[in-house]
Amino acid sequence: MRRSVVVTGAAALTPLGSLDETWCALLAGRSRVEAVRLAGNGHAVPGARSDLELDAVPDARLRRPLGRAGMLAVAAALAAWRDAGLAGANADAAGAVLASPAPDLQLDLLHPAFLAARQNGHFDTGGFARELRRTVPPHWRLGQVPNVIGHALAALLKIRGPQLTVASACASGADAIGLAARMIEEGRVEIALAGGADNLLFAPAHALLRRFDLLSADHGPAQPFDRRRRGLVPGEGAAVLVLESAESAAARGAAVLGRFLGYGAATVPPAAADAQAGAEGFARAMSAALRDAALAAEDVGGLFAYAPGTLTGDREESLAIRQLFGTAVRVTSTKGGIGYLGAASGAVDAALALRALQGRVIPPVANLTEPDELCPVACVAGEAAAHPRAAALCNTHGLGGQYASLVLGRAA
Amino acid sequence: MSAARVVVTGVGLVTPLGNEAGLVWQRLEEGRTGIGPIRAFDTGGCPVGVAAEVPGEPALAAPAAARLPRLARRSSRLGVAAAAAAISDAGVSSEPPVRPAAYVGTLPGELDHLEAPALGRGAGFDARELDPWFLFRHLPNNTAFALAAGLGFRGPIFGLASACAAGAVAIGEALQALRRDEFDWVLAGGACAAVTPLGVMGLALIHALSTASGAEASRPFDARRDGFVLGEGAAFLVLERAERASARGARIYAEVAGYGAAMDGGALLTDPDPSGEGAARAMQAALASAGCAVEEVDCIKAHGTSTRANDRMETRAIRRVFGARAERIPVTAPKSMLGHSLAAAGAVEAAAALGILAREAIPPTINYSTADPECDLDYVPNQARPARVDTLLLNSFGMGGHNAALVIRRAA
């Protein structure tokens, strides 16, 4: 028997602030993009930076290897845990599923060692080893394991049940929520933290996005579904949910923010990465999530699209949404407001979708003024729209061919 | 209601001792080592001189052979070879309505030194001069991408980055998914290939690796052990429910009967909890998951890395679970021959452990000569031991305190 899963805590850190601040800013159609300096080469590029308190992680030993994405993840997890009223609770049997952020090797830090190794076209390992030892601190290596975030949560919150670190690029945040919900459904744990963080504001990430021609060319914000859209604005942020079995939440009288209803994931070989293939990936993930939720398309009121503001990405997804939902579903994208937060995106959107269900209102796509007729879906533009139905769907996609969708429901 | 039984119907391996299960089993039983002087680069001046490398690369079938080399890193190419072998061995089909999925143990890539010159052309790693594909190869989901692009794998692919426990975690999570009846068959395993100057030196920075020379450097549980020996490898199993395997007349290797995972909770990333409590909880959870009493376990495949801290901790953890009986259970450590292939190790060793059941012989822990009073179990030193093993416990622990255990049982 599959158990019901509810959400009892949520927190986010986005370029527009906390979850509350982000929600209010998005309802008002605001966005935040600024010139930020890329880690690794210091270049100023348009980006969406989140404000992070430097002491967000209380223990320096835990803080050093985390990096910005890890710090954001831990800060959001601590806030979600408090939000769920679990501060001080025994977490021995709790689980956690966190997204793996884009790994930053910190090439600038390694640069002197690689320079020292360059000897007449031959790699001098001895010179490399000596220089690396002299210039690179041991916590650099510790920061290279993606599960460093889970380790910090085990140390700080004493979450000592099963933990997973999900690596499906920018789909990881949604996959994390789906896999954590499975753990609760099958009775492995009662409570699990789920979500993730990412930081795309470092040189190799920028180079990769540029190579895929995904970046907004000017210094303006992203404009999902707008005919003038030029690409995404990379950013950093985090969101973490507390998922809990309905029994456990009821037993401790926890406030229920919403319900997890379904999850679907799909892979489409990127060899066939044309519009058809992208649409197929989204369609298969959405269908699987609806099937898992035992819902029909018409049960879904609002759809938080992946739509990062790229030319083909928004169109492929629109085709899939149109095919499954017609124009009956109200579609929004948060990327106009907060930029593209990589592996955090799916978790941030899930946290915001729960707000939409609670408030019965879906925020507009920031910066959407001229809807693209090649994206034939009912986008929420200008003003927030009503969201009367009891279910919402969130889409994500990760570079490499992975797609994931979540269906969330209003608290009963 | 007892959980559905899940069995192994396909095995694919790429290891330093060979790429065919029967051959690898035989060589392990003979106590042959895959460890030798590093061939991938000149180790002059490097504090570490040995590793367990996979010689060359197994040939890939088209279309993988044509597509992968530029975008898939070495570990992903090894992973595709192992996955293709496992799928072919199992004879499973991916044609709809069959529902396949993959759980893949993975880590971020290790920077290949041959890439380094291209990374450092401009001062300070100018993003415009950086190889744009660098991050794509480095992403932990690169192996998932390679499975989709190289094999046309179309089911959901879940990348799991639980450090050195990842391979076992992937198999365990696959077991859970099949018990939920979410998929018809699951490809589960891992791939890792980190024998590069940065891969080796990074681990040397945190004093994880043995600095001993010679093939005997990996000596798990021996008093003279001083760190692990890095290995390369990939392994995938095809898992499916027993009734489906029987119905299609598939060869059944063994049953994956249980899985448990638990976190340590200490503040230091590098050090496992010396009490072994987290590891013991993982083993107990796996036994409970299998419905298996401690008296039934007749062999333990140890994580046995040859580091001072792990082997002592693991010994204590085994004593915690098995009490006085611990001394009568043979404990074998294949890392003495295969080295430590990080994210792949749990999967490679699970594939190796199937041979213990099939051949009715327990491979030795080689290079064992000096007893350590703190490691006082029966480690099957240096000589294989004939034994009918019906129930095997497999340990796999990751840096950061991620502990996982599997129970593998002779199929009835």
Side-chain angles (χ1 to χ4, degrees), chain A residues 245-268:
Chain A
S245 72
E247 296 98 302
S248 166
R252 67 182 187 92
V256 172
L257 309 179
R259 295 185 297 151
F260 166 87
L261 297 178
Y263 162 56
T267 306
V268 171

Side-chain angles (χ1 to χ4, degrees), chain B residues 3 14 22 25 41-42 45 48 53 58 73 137 179 226-227 239 248 264 313 327 340 343 348 373 382:
Chain B
V14 176
W25 293 346
F41 58 92
D42 172 9
V48 175
E53 294 172 276
R73 61 176 185 250
R137 283 192 296 271
R179 282 179 171 175
D226 72 333
L239 304 180
R248 66 181 190 88
D264 274 357
M313 177 282 283
E327 290 169 19
H340 187 357
V348 169
N382 304 318

Side-chain angles (χ1 to χ4, degrees), chain A residues 63-86:
Chain A
R63 196 185 308 140
R64 273 194 300 265
L66 278 171
R68 279 191 71 88
M71 296 267 285
L72 286 162
V74 172
L78 295 176
W81 197 249
R82 280 193 303 273
D83 186 52
L86 287 166

Side-chain angles (χ1 to χ4, degrees), chain A residues 2 17 76 93 224 254 393:
Chain A
R2 183 170 148 182
L393 190 145

Side-chain angles (χ1 to χ4, degrees), chain A residues 125 160 165 167 280 284 402, chain B residues 42 154 157 159 161 180 264 277:
Chain A
T125 310
R160 300 189 54 204
T165 304
E280 188 201 336
R284 282 173 42 205
Q402 290 165 293
Chain B
D42 172 9
R154 296 176 78 82
I157 304 179
R180 297 190 297 262
D264 274 357
E277 197 242 337

